[in-house]
Each structure stands twice: as structure tokens, then as C-alpha cells.
Amino acid sequence: MSEVHVIDHPLVQHKLTLMRKKEASTNSFRRLLRELSALMAYEVMRDVPMHDVTIETPLETMTAREIDGKKLVLVSILRAGTGILDGMLEVVPGARVGHVGLYRDPKTLMAVEYYFKMPQDIAERDLIVVDPMLATGNSAIAAVDRLKELRPRSIKFVCLLTCPEGISALQKAHPDVPIYTAAIDRQLNEHGYILPGLGDAGDRMFGTK
Ligand code: URA
């Protein structure tokens, strides 16, 4: 089974609590999501391979450390993934970016793809797929299914919140994809929302409800 990493740093947990509050404004929800995602990026990237390079400081030659391999690809699941993407790009500004457009059919809760645009040379790159809410798992599974067709070197999945149902669905479909989250909530409701959760992440981020 894939690993589940709960990022329990106090700064992450504090910001998540502020975001959950129903009175949080669109402005503060968006800002907190960006800040929180930048903090999560540290943990998500903790194990990236590195190598030694020889560099010249103004005073001496030294051996320093650099991240290995081709540039990372951040893949945002539209539309709510945008919030995590923006925060992660602040700490990994050189990353390439892909987008997967998926909406949830309100009756079946299944993911329907309407957009898919990736950098050209995905093979041999490391991918980080981002979506704030891992709820039924259907969107995450559909996105990872599509991405695996392009044969990347690795895939990680990052969300803000998840629940036992979402974790087991993604683990069952993609046991090789580690999951990073700030919290695992109690359960899904019959409409596919996470409880206690934070509501509809896209609506709260963009002020559309
Ligand atoms: N998507 C959301 O935005 N919120 C949930 O609780 C579940 C899915």
C-alpha cells in the first residue's frame, strides 16, 4: 500500500483551522491555501534525490548540493488545484506545470475529463499531482490513470484534506502513489463531501457560492 503522510507541523495545522472556519473570507481562504501549500511543499520534497556540484563562491571553490534530474512537474487538477499550485510554485518556481480538467458528475460522482495539457517530455520526470480535497478519490484516480500513460518517473499526490474513503480508493487503484495531506477527516457524506471538512474548496477559493 502507498504511504500516507500527514503533515502535522503546527503552522500547517493552524492555517488549516483558519481555513475550515465558515466565516473565513474568500480572500483569506485563498491566501491561507497558498501559504499552507508552500509549507507542505517542504515535506513533499524532503526525499528528492540530490547530487554534488562544484561551485565558486566569491571566496573559494566548494562542493555543494543540487536537486537531481529533470525539472519537477506540478499537475493541478482544475479548478481547485490552482490554490495548491500557486503556493508550491512560490518555493519551486522552476517547476513545469500541467493541468487536468475534471468535473464531478453530480449524480454518479464520477470524474469527467474536459481538459488535459502537460509539458511535452513527461517521461523520466517526477510529478506532483495537487487537488485540495481527496474525497471519493474518483478525480485523483482518473488523473493518475491518464498521467501514467505518459510514463513519468514517479507520481506523488498532495491534498489539503482527505478521509478514509478517499485514501482507500486511491491506494487500491494506485498503491505506488504516496499521499500527502494536512489532515484525515472523519468521513464522506452522501453528496461526496468530506466531514467535518471545509466545504467546497473551489467555491470558497473563488467566491462562486
Ligand atoms: N470537494 C470539495 O471541494 N469539498 C469536499 O468536501 C469534497 C470534495
Side-chain angles (χ1 to χ4, degrees), residues 174-186:
H174 295 293
D176 55 327
V177 173
I179 300 167
Y180 293 79
T181 184
I184 303 173
D185 275 9
R186 191 181 68 245

Side-chain angles (χ1 to χ4, degrees), residues 27-89:
N27 183 10
S28 59
F29 189 91
R30 201 159 40 213
R31 178 179 47 77
L32 287 161
L33 180 56
R34 204 172 51 237
E35 291 169 358
L36 208 157
S37 307
L39 296 169
M40 287 181 77
Y42 286 99
E43 212 46 54
V44 175
M45 296 193 62
R46 177 176 288 283
D47 62 350
V48 296
M50 303 199 70
H51 63 260
D52 289 345
V53 281
T54 306
I55 61 164
E56 305 277 341
T57 78
L59 302 176
E60 278 187 11
T61 300
M62 72 169 284
T63 303
R65 307 276 287 150
E66 226 175 47
I67 292 178
D68 247 353
K70 291 188 176 177
K71 290 224 157 49
L72 190 73
V73 182
L74 300 176
V75 179
S76 166
I77 300 184
L78 295 172
R79 68 184 163 145
T82 312
I84 300 190
L85 173 67
D86 290 349
M88 290 205 164
L89 280 174

Side-chain angles (χ1 to χ4, degrees), residues 29 79-80 104 133 193 198-205 208-209:
F29 189 91
R79 68 184 163 145
R104 274 208 299 188
M133 311 297 274
Y193 280 87
L198 50 69
D200 187 299
D203 282 340
R204 297 202 63 192
M205 196 186 319
T208 42
K209 209 172 248 174

Side-chain angles (χ1 to χ4, degrees), residues 84-130:
I84 300 190
L85 173 67
D86 290 349
M88 290 205 164
L89 280 174
E90 286 187 11
V91 281
V92 201
R96 303 287 187 258
V97 176
H99 289 94
V100 184
L102 294 167
Y103 70 86
R104 274 208 299 188
D105 183 297
K107 288 210 183 81
T108 64
L109 301 184
M110 292 310 290
V112 182
E113 184 182 309
Y114 63 88
Y115 188 73
F116 188 84
K117 186 82 179 170
M118 290 299 132
Q120 279 194 335
D121 48 347
I122 289 285
E124 294 167 33
R125 287 188 192 263
D126 297 311
L127 267 50
I128 299 179
V129 182
V130 302

